[in-house]
Amino acid sequence: MTPFSYRRPASSMDASALAALKGHKLLGGGTNLVDLMRKGVEHPTTLVDVTALSSEIIEMEGGGLLIGAAARNSAVAAHPLVRAHYPMLSRAILAGASAQIRNMATVAGNLLQRTRCAYFNDPAASRCNKRQPGSGCDALEGFNRYHAILGGSPGCIATHPSDMCVALMALDAQIHLAGSAGTRIVPLADFYRLPGDSPHLETTMEIGELITAVEIPASAMGQRSAYRKVRDRASYAFALVSVAAGVSMQDGTIEDIRLAFGGIAPRPWRALQAEAALRGGPATPEAMAAAMDAELAVARPAAGNAFKVELLKRTTAAVLLELTGDRS
Ligand code: SF4
């Protein structure tokens, strides 16, 4: 590992000033960044420890939650308000990583974790446009079972690895940012970039900005919500596909719906077309199949992951049938 220095600022503005400096990287729980430093993917000159920033989980006036950026994943999953009002989020977090990693990992770190593409993580022997812009992408013709079927580009087909962020996408979360120009709030839907021809740029954050909190608006869909993850082994594995869903029903009709997918795109994928097709209609297998056909019409699987299209359709239908079934 390349030698580095360590700073621990007391305020978000001090952290922001340090984050703007060349070679400085923000350190949360370190569960991803330290791994990448060991592998030679990341070479920060200075780690800026931001775990002293807010880790509070606060109920907002009028409903909704404000989760401090330094809140540990395990604390969020176990929080009574999250479990009562956003069970989908609690389940998504518990579906990720291991208990030890969840105890260390922070909410902001979860949002900003890097892809687990094997070629990205192998600087000694692999070409990767995300790690080294313009160098090529060994995943395109290589082992791409875990890669994207939606949102990729000829430059990169990596997937975003988070489970938590899939639930946050379905919950219309907003990201609170602080930087030298002040503070701002960005919808999670606008937070991640698709790779296009610059896969090394992953978010819309400015240089020197940092995440201070995640806001989740009040939701009426908490009681009919679910997160389901399909993976190669029962625990400690990234998603092949995952589905976060919440619905509200009125007389057998889907009154409203939130649907997001993981494991299939460079960012947590909000299924707006499927939502629009299902909203106001019957909760039938036929309607769900038609909605997923619409959502996946632009899917572009690679040679090794065409199975994800059908797997995602079936997983989504199973989740929605369970959520929309008679609960009387
Ligand atoms: Fe790199 Fe993206 Fe290609 Fe993986 S898919 S090797 S992250 S450019």
Side-chain angles (χ1 to χ4, degrees), residues 115 117 119-120 127-130 136-139 147 155-158 199:
T115 182
C117 172
Y119 304 103
F120 173 78
R127 296 178 305 151
C128 172
N129 288 323
K130 187 184 282 295
C137 170
D138 277 343
H147 288 71
C156 180
I157 53 170

Side-chain angles (χ1 to χ4, degrees), residues 1 16 21 58 78 86 130 132 134 140 150 160 166 176 201 248 276-277 295 311 322:
M1 190 185 284
S16 164
L21 300 176
I58 302 166
Y86 309 96
K130 187 184 282 295
Q132 190 177 353
L140 293 173
L150 287 169
H160 193 274
V166 182
H176 290 227
L201 302 175
S248 58
E295 187 68 42
L311 182 61
E322 190 177 301

Side-chain angles (χ1 to χ4, degrees), residues 109-131:
N110 194 321
L111 283 155
L112 295 174
Q113 65 181 296
R114 311 297 301 280
T115 182
R116 296 323 197 269
C117 172
Y119 304 103
F120 173 78
N121 281 282
D122 177 29
S126 301
R127 296 178 305 151
C128 172
N129 288 323
K130 187 184 282 295
R131 181 168 29 76

Side-chain angles (χ1 to χ4, degrees), residues 249 252-255 276-284 287:
M249 299 293 292
T253 293
I254 297 175
E255 185 180 50
L278 288 165
R279 194 172 287 120
T284 61

Side-chain angles (χ1 to χ4, degrees), residues 295-318:
E295 187 68 42
L296 292 172
V298 294
R300 296 287 178 270
N305 65 7
F307 71 94
K308 285 190 177 186
V309 174
E310 189 62 25
L311 182 61
L312 183 59
K313 288 180 181 178
R314 292 185 187 202
T315 306
T316 305

Side-chain angles (χ1 to χ4, degrees), residues 8 26-33 48-57 67-77 89 93 97-114 116 160 162-165 168 192 210-214:
R8 189 173 163 83
L26 298 176
L27 176 73
T31 56
N32 185 214
L33 177 57
V48 181
D49 185 337
V50 286
T51 53
L53 304 185
S54 174
S55 60
E56 284 188 304
I57 301 173
I67 302 173
R72 305 288 175 174
N73 285 191
S74 51
V76 178
L89 177 60
I93 293 172
S98 66
Q100 292 89 342
I101 290 173
R102 294 192 295 269
N103 287 341
M104 282 299 292
T106 63
V107 164
N110 194 321
L111 283 155
L112 295 174
Q113 65 181 296
R114 311 297 301 280
R116 296 323 197 269
H160 193 274
S162 173
D163 292 291
M164 181 192 83
C165 297
L168 289 178
Y192 292 110
L210 74 158
I211 298 170
T212 56
V214 174

